[in-house]
Structure formats: C-alpha cells, structure tokens
Amino acid sequence: MTDAGRIYLKEARDILDIGTRAVERARLAAEGKIGRLRIGFISTAAAYVIPPLIAAFRKDYPRVELDLRHHLTAEQLGLIRSGMLDVGFLRLPLLEPRGLHTILIHKEPFKLFLPASHRLATQPDLELCHLDGAEFVTYSKRNAPGYAAAQSLVLSDAGIRPAAIHEASDMYTLSLLVAAGVGIAIAPASLKNYRLPGVIIRALPGLQPSEVAIVHREGIDHPAALAFIRSARSMIDFFS
C-alpha cells in the first residue's frame, strides 16, 4: 500500500468510528441516558424531596448532566413554560395550571411558627380560632400566588382577622421575620430545618397538608426529563 493509501485508510476508519459513535450517542439520547436536564426547585423541597429523587435517578442514568436551580414558584412557572426549565418542584395549588402537568410527590403537615415571646407560644391546645387578631407573616402573593391565596382562604374561612400581614419573599425570610418577633406564620413543617433560635413550632389541627408537586409542560418530549419523571413516579410511595 502506498503512503497515500495508508493515509486514506486511516481517515476512512476514523470517519467510520465517528459515525458509529454518533449513532450510539443518538441512541443513548433518545433513551434519556445522556443529555442535560434542567431542574428547578423551591428551597423547602430541597431537604426532603430532591436528594432521594436525584440519588435514585443517577443510579440508573449516571451520564445525564444535571443542572439544579433554586427558583421561587412564579419564576419556575415562567421558565417551564418558556422551555428554560425541563421540570420543577413547587407547592400546590397553582392558580393558572394551563399548559402544565402536575404530579403530586410529597405531603407534609402545616405547623404554626411563633416567636418564643408570643402570647400564644404557651397556649395549650392551639386551634385556628386562637389566632384571631394576631400579626401574621405570609408568603409573597407575587412569588407563589396559588399558595398565598390558599392560605388567605384558610384564615378567611376560619373567621380570622389578622391585626397586620407582613409578606416575605421566600420561606427563609419568613422564618427570619418570625424569629425577629414580627408575627406568626402558618407554614410547612419542613421550615423547622432552618433551626432558627427564638422560634416555637406548634401543631395546628384542622389544616389540609401542604403538597409538593413535580411540574412540567404538557406534551414534553425531552427524553431525559421523561426518564426523570418516570423515576420520580416510581418513588411516590417512598414519601408517603
């Protein structure tokens, strides 16, 4: 074989190898085994929900690149609708679920969070009616309109008239405001993970649990996202 022939043969083999690798990567991408998956989450889902789901998914799909981003609920909805996020974790209900699909993944009780110096901190057998006239710290309507509206309805239905309402932009800020003595808050039990000094946590009967859901666009065709959703569905019993 001439020098020119040897060079041609090497180049031909390289081209065949590239083609073989391209076909294999295309197959893996179609099966959701490679690719980039963009996941949004609220902070209070990070402790209980995200770690076990990610661990289980990575066990079966170790080559998928994960891009996890903390976003507030309203931000996530916009990013999911625009295609900038593939899936998100947020609290229900949604005021405008148009074009979105939700999968309930986790429930947790609501608790009452109070400043240690608050008059209700030592009240035995607390009930909703005892909260009438108190100052409240609530989650921002702008950042989670469905969640905020549901909480407002709970207070209204119970005949509770807050002396004042202070809005917090996120759950950590809400906890800080409670610790600072600004007001009391009805919030998901997972806020206890912030472990802020000066905050008392009490049970409050008669409340429906808080629900965390996976949200994605209707008609999603991202293979890695679909694989993640299947994996998450298989773990729903883990959180019950």
Side-chain angles (χ1 to χ4, degrees):
M1 183 180 295
T2 65
D3 288 342
R6 282 191 290 271
I7 292 172
Y8 178 84
L9 179 60
K10 180 182 182 304
E11 294 293 332
R13 285 172 174 167
D14 288 345
I15 291 171
L16 288 174
D17 287 343
I18 291 171
T20 300
R21 288 197 299 272
V23 169
E24 176 63 9
R25 287 185 62 80
R27 181 186 67 80
L28 291 172
E31 294 174 355
K33 294 181 178 179
I34 62 172
R36 185 165 176 255
L37 180 58
R38 300 161 301 177
I39 301 172
F41 65 92
I42 54 173
S43 60
T44 48
Y48 289 116
V49 179
I50 301 295
L53 288 181
I54 294 298
F57 180 72
R58 284 191 57 78
K59 182 179 178 181
D60 295 328
Y61 297 87
R63 298 175 65 182
V64 173
E65 179 187 351
L66 297 177
D67 181 0
L68 274 75
R69 311 175 188 179
H70 171 247
H71 288 293
L72 301 174
T73 296
E75 294 173 341
Q76 282 195 58
L77 295 178
L79 291 169
I80 291 169
R81 285 193 169 104
S82 69
M84 299 299 291
L85 281 179
D86 301 307
V87 297
F89 289 86
L90 44 80
R91 290 192 186 276
L92 299 177
L94 303 182
L95 282 186
E96 296 185 20
R98 174 184 50 83
L100 300 174
H101 184 73
T102 61
I103 304 164
L104 179 61
I105 194 74
H106 174 59
K107 292 182 179 182
E108 62 177 309
F110 279 105
K111 299 286 187 180
L112 182 64
F113 292 76
L114 311 100
S117 59
H118 198 276
R119 60 180 177 81
L120 294 176
T122 57
Q123 168 81 30
D125 302 321
L126 272 176
E127 296 182 9
L128 272 171
C129 61
H130 295 137
L131 310 185
D132 190 36
E135 292 196 34
F136 278 79
V137 181
T138 63
Y139 199 85
S140 167
K141 300 182 186 70
R142 178 181 178 182
N143 293 338
Y147 175 87
Q151 285 227 322
S152 178
L153 184 61
V154 167
L155 298 182
S156 176
D157 286 349
I160 295 171
R161 296 156 299 179
I165 294 178
H166 311 276
E167 286 197 358
S169 61
D170 55 71
M171 287 295 187
Y172 183 66
T173 302
L174 183 146
S175 299
L176 287 174
L177 291 175
V178 172
V182 172
I184 65 176
I186 299 173
S190 54
L191 257 71
K192 69 178 184 289
N193 292 321
Y194 292 133
R195 303 182 185 279
L196 293 179
V199 176
I200 301 298
I201 306 171
R202 298 288 303 279
L204 198 60
L207 297 176
Q208 294 297 314
S210 178
E211 298 178 333
V212 174
I214 298 174
V215 180
H216 63 83
R217 295 187 311 282
E218 291 182 352
I220 188 172
D221 58 0
H222 186 313
L226 292 172
F228 181 79
I229 292 164
R230 288 193 301 271
S231 178
R233 281 184 180 277
S234 72
M235 290 190 65
I236 288 176
D237 289 343
F238 174 85
F239 298 103
S240 61

